[in-house]
Amino acid sequence: MDKTIGFIGGGNMASAIIGGILNSGLASPKQILASDKSNNALRSLEERFGIHTTSQNPETAKEADILFLAVKPHLFSEVIPEIRDSIQTNTLIVSIAAGQSISSIESLFCKEIRLIRAMPNTPALVGEGMSALCPNQNVSQEELEEAVSIFNSFGTCEVVSETMIDTVVGVSGSSPAYVCLFIEAMADAAVADGMPRAQAYKFAAQSVLGSAKMVLETGSHPGALKDAVCSPGGTTIEAVAVLEEQGLRSAVIKAQRACVQKSKDMGK
């Protein structure tokens, strides 16, 4: 990719994206520029990736062909007026902030922009992110494909309608927390049965990782994979029966839908 990629904000998600870009060979360190108000964040990015950094957001905005808005949502009203006059007319802007709609971002720029609203998740930090991309009407197919290649460099992504973004928040944006809660609970049970804590986390986490990989790589229905483990009168069906009795599935559905509703409320 023969373009300069800029980042306004140098936090964890920006670092994950930069790492994915560099590890995949999509761009070299000299093609990446990041700005942040924190000198510690800039120093960390320089030492880790060897990229150019600056404390001046307009400098990053001016140089970038693809510009990531990687600051907290409440800072958009401060950062966008600071950079909007510095951005080139053909710059592709990518927002990774929750609760900031395409229309609200467009209104802050006060001009026509090429914009993709993206929703990555924290597994991007280990190269296993799940991201959704929502382009506005000004984004070309070529630009969208470039964005897809960037997000695929640290996981996988899907292009979705913005009407689905709150659902994305529930099913992937926030769901690593649900999964970690499940892993923690399994580990607690193993510890209660005598397994050392560190070993319990490893057994639980690897089982979740492997199960997810089976779903993705076999294409089998999760129910069919569950049935394959449940021998008649065996240990697994005993555990499944208790989970059903305790309402695991209904609890997950209710929790996720509450998450989606909160996302909708934040966007109002």
Side-chain angles (χ1 to χ4, degrees):
M1 184 180 294
D2 187 24
K3 291 190 175 181
T4 299
I5 305 173
F7 290 82
I8 305 290
N12 285 337
M13 196 57 69
S15 295
I17 297 172
I18 292 169
I21 291 170
L22 295 178
N23 290 337
S24 67
L26 280 175
S28 66
K30 67 180 181 180
Q31 293 174 261
I32 299 177
L33 171 65
S35 56
D36 197 289
K37 299 302 182 183
S38 166
N39 289 329
N40 289 336
L42 296 179
R43 191 178 305 112
S44 176
L45 291 172
E46 288 176 2
E47 293 174 354
R48 183 176 175 187
F49 300 116
I51 64 172
H52 179 63
T53 65
T54 175
S55 61
Q56 301 301 311
N57 290 333
E59 179 184 344
T60 299
K62 182 179 180 181
E63 296 297 325
D65 299 304
I66 301 174
L67 180 67
F68 281 82
L69 300 180
V71 296
K72 299 295 184 183
H74 71 274
L75 294 176
F76 271 44
S77 60
E78 172 188 333
V79 169
I80 291 176
E82 179 188 11
I83 66 173
R84 62 189 172 201
D85 293 333
S86 302
I87 289 177
Q88 305 172 52
T89 56
N90 61 346
T91 295
L92 175 63
I93 301 165
V94 182
S95 166
I96 61 171
Q100 290 286 347
S101 67
I102 287 175
S103 61
S104 67
I105 297 170
E106 289 173 334
S107 66
L108 285 171
F109 274 97
C110 302
K111 61 182 179 182
E112 287 283 309
I113 56 171
R114 294 171 166 87
L115 174 66
I116 293 176
R117 182 183 178 187
M119 179 56 61
N121 64 2
T122 54
L125 296 168
V126 292
E128 292 293 348
M130 182 67 225
S131 306
L133 306 184
C134 311
N136 76 352
Q137 70 278 4
N138 299 324
V139 176
S140 69
Q141 185 61 34
E142 180 182 356
E143 289 168 330
L144 182 58
E145 289 172 0
E146 287 177 334
V148 166
S149 68
I150 290 174
F151 280 85
N152 279 342
S153 74
F154 54 87
T156 188
C157 72
E158 294 280 343
V159 178
V160 303
S161 164
E162 193 179 19
T163 59
M164 294 302 299
I165 201 70
D166 296 310
T167 302
V168 168
V169 171
V171 74
S172 66
S174 297
S175 63
Y178 328 151
V179 176
C180 287
L181 193 64
F182 182 57
I183 290 171
E184 186 180 33
M186 286 199 297
D188 283 347
V191 170
D193 286 324
M195 183 177 282
R197 172 68 62 178
Q199 193 174 45
Y201 281 137
K202 186 172 184 178
F203 270 88
Q206 180 61 39
S207 295
V208 171
L209 173 64
S211 300
K213 200 166 184 179
M214 286 172 64
V215 172
L216 291 172
E217 294 190 2
T218 68
S220 298
H221 190 285
L225 295 173
K226 179 264 294 179
D227 289 348
V229 191
C230 293
S231 302
T235 57
T236 307
I237 193 62
E238 192 73 15
V240 168
V242 174
L243 290 173
E244 291 287 7
E245 180 184 344
Q246 297 298 315
L248 173 69
R249 282 197 280 193
S250 62
V252 171
I253 291 169
K254 287 178 181 178
Q256 188 167 309
R257 297 196 73 188
C259 177
V260 171
Q261 186 59 53
K262 180 66 173 181
S263 180
K264 290 178 179 178
D265 293 341
M266 288 173 61
K268 290 180 180 177

